Amino acid sequence: MNHLDQSQLNLFSSSTIDRMARTVGDVDKLDALANSDHARFLPIYNTKVLVANKAGRLTAAAIEKAELASRFSYATPPVYLGYKNDFHYFAVRIIGANEEVEKFADLRQLAALLNDNDAALLGYALAITTWQRNYEHCGSCGATTVTRQGGHVLQCTDLACAREHYPRTDPAIIVLVENGERALFGRKAEWPAHRYSTIAGFVEPGESVEQAVVREVAEETGVEVIESCYHSSQPWPFPGSLMLGYTAHAGRSQIHLNDRELEDARWLNRQELIDHLVSGEFLPPTPISISFRLIEDWFNRQCDVPFRMWCENNSPMR
Ligand SMILES: [Zn+2]
């Protein structure tokens, strides 16, 4: 499968919105869009999103302006997200606490229950509003910032500085390392009991993505990566990373937890993975994550019963 198709299987990147690059700089047009019947607003409260229950199905709460104004307070102008299926979407940072804010929820908990389109929309809204919240003050001089370009630029209000800040996305690698029939899994002490995942970490300054793959695996597990191959990516809006998924092959395979970031790391072949799933000793990563997809692709290459089915039958999919 090519990388485009692979990436579209990842939640948060499976649905594309038209980001309308030429519209975000046109203040009058944005204002007209925000006041039109085709405007829909996605309220975000701190790091939480709002969902609605439509006939037993969870959807993103995409509300009209009148409802937004009657239920919530917001200070900064809505962020224009783009156009999809006849609607123009805006993310809105809700301020002030009233009984309405208690209805907001954690997207990470809900994402698996939403359709791909709504999960992608809320992920985008959450990522850009989180960035805005973190840049209320200029990183250069400390003065306050104001929104420009439909909310996609924050400009410093100090005239001598006037620096423009752009949304940031932090690259991180996540890699399934193979050695013969086995794959490498690790767990952090703070995770739920028995939760294992593939190896992951942030790309550091002055480093290529491929170097980050080699370094993270060596630091966390002592295993040597001698070959890596790009798989797919996933925007991961908790809080604003871009997960770059790789598969890799190991040279020296002896495990040593060098930086103690992991509590345990182990090699498992497919049969051992099944045995651990059945006995409850292996809780897979959340099925919305690229980590799950990397494991799934590796596992399904040589097993007739898909990994997802083993997980659904043998562990709570969290
Ligand atoms: Zn400044």
Side-chain angles (χ1 to χ4, degrees), residues 182-197:
R182 305 178 302 172
L184 182 61
F185 302 94
R187 66 165 272 108
K188 291 186 178 178
E190 63 265 32
W191 288 352
H194 307 302
R195 161 72 51 80
Y196 280 84
S197 184

Side-chain angles (χ1 to χ4, degrees), residues 92-230:
V92 193
R93 287 172 56 200
I94 303 303
I95 56 165
N98 61 21
E99 68 277 10
E100 290 286 350
V101 303
E102 286 167 24
K103 296 174 182 165
F104 284 74
D106 188 341
L107 179 60
R108 199 194 300 240
Q109 310 288 337
L110 294 175
L113 306 173
L114 296 163
N115 69 38
D116 289 359
N117 189 50
D118 285 11
L121 204 52
L122 288 177
Y124 177 18
L126 181 60
I128 196 148
T129 52
T130 299
W131 164 73
Q132 278 200 345
R133 214 179 59 246
N134 290 339
Y135 281 79
E136 284 177 345
H137 292 90
C138 173
S140 293
C141 74
T144 54
T145 59
V146 288
T147 64
R148 299 273 186 260
Q149 299 283 320
H152 293 259
V153 175
L154 290 172
Q155 184 163 32
C156 177
T157 52
D158 183 303
L159 295 178
C161 174
R163 185 173 164 193
E164 291 183 335
H165 300 273
Y166 293 86
R168 47 175 304 172
T169 298
D170 298 327
I173 60 94
I174 184 151
V175 55
L176 181 130
V177 186
E178 290 180 61
N179 182 33
E181 295 296 307
R182 305 178 302 172
L184 182 61
F185 302 94
R187 66 165 272 108
K188 291 186 178 178
E190 63 265 32
W191 288 352
H194 307 302
R195 161 72 51 80
Y196 280 84
S197 184
T198 50
I199 309 304
F202 283 103
V203 179
E204 294 194 347
E207 180 177 60
S208 73
V209 177
E210 291 72 19
Q211 286 171 320
V213 168
V214 174
R215 178 186 52 76
E216 281 292 344
V217 173
E219 282 177 1
E220 294 188 7
T221 69
V223 170
E224 175 194 31
V225 164
I226 55 169
E227 203 182 302
S228 70
C229 187
Y230 177 68

